Amino acid sequence: MAERRRSEATRQAILDAALELAGEVGYAKLSVEGIAARAGAGKQTIYRWWPSKGAVLLDALLAYTTGPSGRIDDVELPDTGDLSADLKAVLRATVEELNDPRLSAPMRALSTEILADPVLAADYADRLETPVRELKLRRLRRAVDAGEVSADADLDVVVDLLWGPLRTRWLYREGPLTKRYTDRVVDTVLNGIRRW
Amino acid sequence: MAERRRSEATRQAILDAALELAGEVGYAKLSVEGIAARAGAGKQTIYRWWPSKGAVLLDALLAYTTGPSGRIDDVELPDTGDLSADLKAVLRATVEELNDPRLSAPMRALSTEILADPVLAADYADRLETPVRELKLRRLRRAVDAGEVSADADLDVVVDLLWGPLRTRWLYREGPLTKRYTDRVVDTVLNGIRRW
């Protein structure tokens, strides 16, 4: 039992060190040696649990996003019965995360690496992208059931429309990430732009 | 005059070689030496005209996109008076480009490099992203003038909504790039999803 607790503490120290270091030195200079040194752990301990620095970083972001359980299924998007307000709240929270360099720097590091590493990309898709998309789809399906959203809407497209612009704007540094911007994304997707 | 024509032919050979090689070997293995060898030109000729392999690749994609003039201002998006049909045609053409590995591979190489190189990113923004966005905004403004689009629409957000999802889906290989997908993006942005 004490062993297991020690093991869990080491694991958490490694995840914290990976997030911190990725933010400080960037992905290219991040190394398993560096993470081990910062965490006060052995390099071989890291390699016993993870195949690569990218895998450590993915677990670190998962743990940060979901809390200690590491399970996204435990999370639900808010549902107050007002889809517009709920989506705005979720996207505003995402803006805050992306504007926080402690989180944004390791996320950018992981994003860049995913483009070059198909194995890490598949792992990311299975463990983070797909379950998070499922959360979003669940909230949208409830809005369809409640009669707020048209039953004809293609909800997969709607997820891309709501979250894609913020992601692209952030990744390519194409403009400031503001709550005004995400509010407008939500309003535009809900209302459309056609003059009837 | 003959000298100038020779010079232009060398420049074009270098741009063609950069596109071909980026597609064949990827950005990491692309080198100025390799481009020079493929183009039958001297390495010093390339460095006289461009500061880096990324700069060559950006010029190559610009020349491919705009034709020999290299000027995006000469291009206009189609305007048949039917915004929905025009946007669908433009996005379908983009899907064809992104599904063509000769173009998609060098574009992916440049996209990845831009994330890591702020100087190249600024050059890309000035010379490609901003003028292309201006084209899109011009077409949307004409739709507002024609009474097709609500005057309240935030056209910068609309550009992100129309082109962002395809870009993200392509960059992260998140799903197939189909004409059905882009048609649905256009319909959803025009009509919204709210059940009135």
Side-chain angles (χ1 to χ4, degrees):
Chain A
M1 203 54 196
E3 167 114 18
R4 192 161 146 199
R5 219 175 298 134
R6 215 163 30 238
S7 201
E8 184 44 46
T10 304
R11 187 172 172 278
Q12 192 57 51
I14 291 168
L15 297 179
D16 291 345
L19 274 194
E20 282 172 26
L21 272 176
E24 288 169 23
V25 305
Y27 192 82
K29 290 185 188 157
L30 184 69
S31 67
V32 168
E33 287 83 351
I35 298 170
R38 173 73 60 105
K43 195 174 134 180
Q44 65 286 10
T45 307
I46 296 185
Y47 278 122
R48 199 159 60 228
W49 290 337
W50 293 278
S52 67
K53 65 178 182 177
V56 183
L57 199 52
L58 176 56
D59 268 1
L61 281 167
L62 264 171
Y64 190 95
T65 309
T66 58
S69 82
R71 293 174 57 89
I72 288 178
D73 337 16
D74 296 350
V75 183
E76 281 295 338
L77 295 196
D79 187 353
T80 65
D82 177 345
L83 180 65
S84 171
D86 291 345
L87 290 174
K88 285 176 184 174
V90 171
L91 284 170
R92 281 165 173 242
T94 307
V95 164
E96 278 183 14
E97 283 184 3
L98 294 177
N99 282 332
D100 176 352
R102 283 172 308 170
L103 196 55
S104 168
M107 283 175 69
R108 182 182 300 281
L110 185 66
S111 289
T112 309
E113 187 60 14
I114 279 169
L115 296 177
D117 180 343
V119 175
L120 186 63
D123 204 23
Y124 175 82
D126 282 353
R127 297 177 56 211
L128 197 60
E129 210 270 326
T130 307
V132 168
R133 174 175 289 265
E134 191 44 47
L135 277 185
K136 296 169 182 171
L137 288 171
R138 274 210 295 277
R139 178 63 188 90
L140 290 171
R141 276 187 219 116
R142 283 199 300 271
V144 173
D145 293 343
E148 267 198 293
V149 165
S150 161
D152 299 337
D154 184 325
L155 300 185
D156 257 308
V157 169
V158 175
V159 168
D160 292 350
L161 288 174
L162 288 168
W163 278 272
L166 183 57
R167 223 166 126 192
T168 309
R169 191 172 249 242
W170 166 71
L171 190 64
Y172 285 99
R173 301 181 177 88
E174 277 180 2
L177 303 178
T178 62
K179 293 170 184 178
R180 184 161 177 271
Y181 178 78
T182 51
D183 282 2
R184 290 203 161 193
V185 166
V186 172
D187 287 335
T188 307
V189 174
L190 285 177
N191 299 326
I193 62 169
R194 204 188 275 284
R195 190 171 152 211
W196 298 92
Chain B
M1 205 53 196
E3 166 112 22
R4 192 163 145 195
R5 220 173 298 132
R6 221 168 20 243
S7 197
E8 185 44 46
T10 305
R11 187 173 172 277
Q12 192 56 52
I14 292 167
L15 297 180
D16 291 346
L19 274 194
E20 282 171 27
L21 273 176
E24 289 168 25
V25 304
Y27 192 84
K29 289 183 187 158
L30 184 68
S31 67
V32 168
E33 287 81 351
I35 298 170
R38 173 73 61 104
K43 195 174 135 182
Q44 66 285 10
T45 306
I46 297 185
Y47 279 122
R48 200 159 60 227
W49 290 336
W50 292 279
S52 67
K53 64 178 181 176
V56 183
L57 199 54
L58 176 56
D59 268 1
L61 282 167
L62 264 171
Y64 190 96
T65 309
T66 58
S69 81
R71 292 174 58 89
I72 288 176
D73 335 15
D74 296 350
V75 183
E76 281 296 338
L77 296 196
D79 187 354
T80 65
D82 178 344
L83 181 66
S84 171
D86 291 345
L87 290 174
K88 285 176 183 174
V90 170
L91 284 171
R92 281 165 172 243
T94 307
V95 164
E96 279 184 15
E97 284 185 0
L98 294 177
N99 281 332
D100 176 352
R102 283 173 308 169
L103 196 55
S104 167
M107 282 173 68
R108 183 182 299 281
L110 185 65
S111 289
T112 310
E113 187 59 15
I114 278 167
L115 296 178
D117 179 344
V119 174
L120 185 64
D123 205 23
Y124 175 82
D126 281 353
R127 296 178 56 211
L128 197 60
E129 209 269 326
T130 307
V132 169
R133 174 175 288 266
E134 190 46 46
L135 278 183
K136 296 168 181 170
L137 288 171
R138 274 210 296 277
R139 178 64 188 89
L140 291 171
R141 275 186 219 115
R142 284 198 299 271
V144 173
D145 293 343
E148 268 198 292
V149 165
S150 162
D152 298 338
D154 184 326
L155 300 185
D156 258 307
V157 168
V158 175
V159 168
D160 291 351
L161 289 174
L162 289 167
W163 277 272
L166 183 58
R167 223 167 127 194
T168 309
R169 191 170 248 243
W170 166 70
L171 189 64
Y172 285 100
R173 300 182 177 86
E174 277 181 1
L177 304 178
T178 63
K179 292 169 185 179
R180 184 161 177 271
Y181 178 77
T182 51
D183 283 3
R184 290 204 162 191
V185 166
V186 172
D187 287 335
T188 307
V189 173
L190 285 177
N191 300 326
I193 62 170
R194 203 188 278 283
R195 188 168 153 216
W196 298 93

